[in-house]
Amino acid sequence: MKQYDYLIVGAGLYGAVFAHEAKKAGKRCLVIDKRSHIAGNIYTEPVEGINVHRYGAHIFHTNNKAVWQYVNQFAEFNRYTNSPVANYHGEIYNLPFNMNTFNKMWGVVTPAEAKAKIEEQKKEAGITDPQNLEEQAISLVGTDIYEKLIKGYTGKQWGRPCTELPAFIIKRLPVRFTYDDNYFNALYQGIPNGGYTAMVEKMLDGVEVRLNVDYLAEKASLDKLAEKVVYTGPVDAYFGYKLGALQYRSVRFETEVMDTDNYQGNAVVNYTDAETPYTRIIEHKHFEFGTQPKTVISREYSAEWKKGDEPYYPVNDEKNGALYAEYKKLADAEPDVIFGGRLGEYKYYDMDKVIEVALSVAENELA
């Protein structure tokens, strides 16, 4: 008999939820992570009394009541509502695109005027069947907003022109003909008081965790410890990239303590011109309505991923989709391994979806 029922590779949200459910079911679990901390990309660390989101802003939002009730076992959430603003060469616009944006851009006041303006610009551009992101964006919000608030930002984010990106990337972009700056419009949203690390700590309470352990470097010996493996790392790395590497976008952060109590007046400011090298600045204290004397900001730079970098966003185009489908066949042929999460399934998951899927997999597995 092996020492553990489950070896869980990755102490992020998926691994923590699965470990919590397995422990509750009386299973013996070992959670490992190659980083020096738990919580994966939602890790928050205290700097100047502020919970800094080390791997970029994470704002919890969901319409799934069961998921909301689940996370509230581990943390109390504040009332933070995501209302980012866009800075285009010093002009400030509200996001998501709503009547405040349209009024600032065109001076229109009513939804009918805004819709007429978008329709007029769409007609001028001659777009009937959008074939790429540029055409899709213009058909949603018109040429002016595309040129000022989408083109430069998206080009920086994906490292390629909008004409080379698929239309579907921007279909989830919220466009509202109301004066509503609530980006997600989700029934439940907020940030856990005290940060995400404390929340994941509670999920992993009573579970053995080993950090600074590289599973793929020690796979043979680690596999001997448990009956089954829950693997949340990159699926292509698991198979030694033998079919080729899947593509990701990576993000680099420049974090700085500022000797002021309020640097930009908002948690998230997107820099939408092509000339500013970073995509956005996060001011972490605003996520928890902080009143500390100093502040901490992070500038985000988007980059093409290469081996050794942190993979953030899967590049879900046709070529990568086809390659992932081949890796999925290999993954399905591994009877004692569960592949899960953003990297294990090569899928862009919001946090609530990660929890929903991990709970569902755990339920089936532990039944």
Side-chain angles (χ1 to χ4, degrees):
M1 186 178 167
K2 295 193 177 177
Q3 199 177 339
Y4 302 97
D5 296 300
Y6 293 99
L7 170 69
I8 298 162
V9 181
L13 207 42
Y14 189 104
V17 169
F18 189 96
H20 181 82
E21 294 305 301
K23 181 186 174 285
K24 214 163 65 176
K27 302 296 183 186
R28 298 156 304 149
C29 298
L30 171 62
V31 175
I32 61 170
D33 202 293
K34 70 175 184 182
R35 289 174 173 169
S36 60
H37 60 75
I38 61 166
N41 281 5
I42 64 171
Y43 175 67
T44 48
E45 60 183 335
V47 178
E48 297 289 339
I50 297 159
N51 288 310
V52 170
H53 298 220
R54 190 196 281 184
Y55 303 97
H58 285 85
I59 299 145
F60 196 89
H61 57 98
T62 189
N63 285 309
N64 185 324
K65 191 174 184 179
V67 166
W68 181 244
Q69 288 173 335
Y70 186 81
V71 291
N72 274 270
Q73 298 174 85
F74 310 107
E76 188 179 77
F77 282 72
N78 69 17
R79 57 168 185 81
Y80 179 82
T81 300
N82 190 27
S83 304
V85 296
N87 181 324
Y88 178 80
H89 293 308
E91 294 173 22
I92 300 293
Y93 294 92
N94 286 106
L95 298 173
F97 304 128
N98 65 63
M99 286 304 299
N100 290 311
T101 324
F102 305 142
N103 173 263
K104 176 81 184 269
M105 188 69 72
W106 300 313
V108 298
V109 174
T110 68
E113 289 171 323
K115 285 176 184 173
K117 193 75 182 169
I118 290 168
E119 206 46 53
E120 174 195 317
Q121 294 193 348
K122 185 179 164 183
K123 197 177 268 185
E124 274 172 24
I127 297 160
T128 49
D129 179 23
Q131 293 302 303
N132 56 46
L133 192 147
E134 178 174 290
E135 293 177 357
Q136 180 67 45
I138 292 169
S139 71
L140 281 173
V141 288
T143 315
D144 291 341
I145 286 177
Y146 167 71
E147 289 289 340
K148 283 191 174 185
L149 304 184
I150 297 173
K151 187 179 181 177
Y153 184 87
T154 308
K156 287 188 289 191
Q157 200 175 30
W158 292 99
R160 34 186 76 70
C162 292
T163 48
E164 290 176 21
L165 290 165
F168 77 80
I169 288 179
I170 211 159
K171 281 185 175 164
R172 56 182 259 168
L173 186 76
V175 179
R176 301 206 188 103
F177 294 93
T178 58
Y179 290 90
D180 180 6
D181 293 334
N182 178 353
Y183 193 88
F184 294 123
N185 213 21
L187 189 55
Y188 310 104
Q189 63 181 304
I191 303 278
N193 291 323
Y196 285 101
T197 305
M199 180 180 95
V200 176
E201 251 167 28
K202 284 195 177 156
M203 287 179 174
L204 291 170
D205 187 35
V207 176
E208 187 181 344
V209 178
R210 294 184 200 167
L211 301 172
N212 301 302
V213 177
D214 186 340
Y215 170 70
L216 295 177
E218 303 173 45
K219 187 174 182 308
S221 59
L222 288 165
D223 283 349
K224 287 176 186 159
L225 297 177
E227 301 292 339
K228 286 188 104 167
V229 172
V230 177
Y231 176 79
T232 69
V235 63
D236 51 353
Y238 181 91
F239 294 104
Y241 303 103
K242 66 181 179 185
L243 305 176
L246 290 161
Q247 283 181 294
Y248 295 90
R249 292 296 288 169
S250 195
V251 185
R252 179 172 64 81
F253 302 94
E254 255 177 27
T255 298
E256 195 181 333
V257 176
M258 310 291 282
D259 200 8
T260 175
D261 66 338
N262 189 357
Y263 176 75
Q264 62 185 17
N266 206 47
V268 183
V269 177
N270 291 1
Y271 285 78
T272 59
D273 60 276
E275 293 75 28
T276 303
Y278 40 84
T279 52
R280 60 184 187 172
I281 296 180
I282 305 301
E283 188 169 6
H284 301 269
K285 74 189 302 179
H286 295 308
F287 289 128
E288 296 184 63
F289 314 111
T291 55
Q292 297 88 349
K294 291 186 179 180
T295 195
V296 183
I297 65 162
S298 296
R299 297 177 191 86
E300 292 189 14
Y301 297 81
S302 191
E304 201 68 38
W305 176 83
K306 57 189 187 304
K307 284 179 197 173
D309 293 345
E310 284 298 340
Y312 281 85
Y313 304 107
V315 180
N316 291 132
D317 58 14
E318 214 170 298
K319 182 184 81 171
N320 284 287
L323 180 56
Y324 170 66
E326 293 306 307
Y327 275 120
K328 174 86 166 73
K329 286 177 195 168
L330 296 179
D332 290 343
E334 295 273 315
D336 297 323
V337 185
I338 295 165
F339 290 82
R342 194 171 39 92
L343 303 179
E345 297 173 66
Y346 196 66
K347 190 178 275 189
Y348 182 78
Y349 274 137
D350 284 327
M351 285 182 284
D352 64 325
K353 194 68 186 166
V354 171
I355 291 167
E356 191 183 312
V357 172
L359 284 172
S360 169
V361 169
E363 190 181 347
N364 292 336
E365 176 66 24
L366 303 165

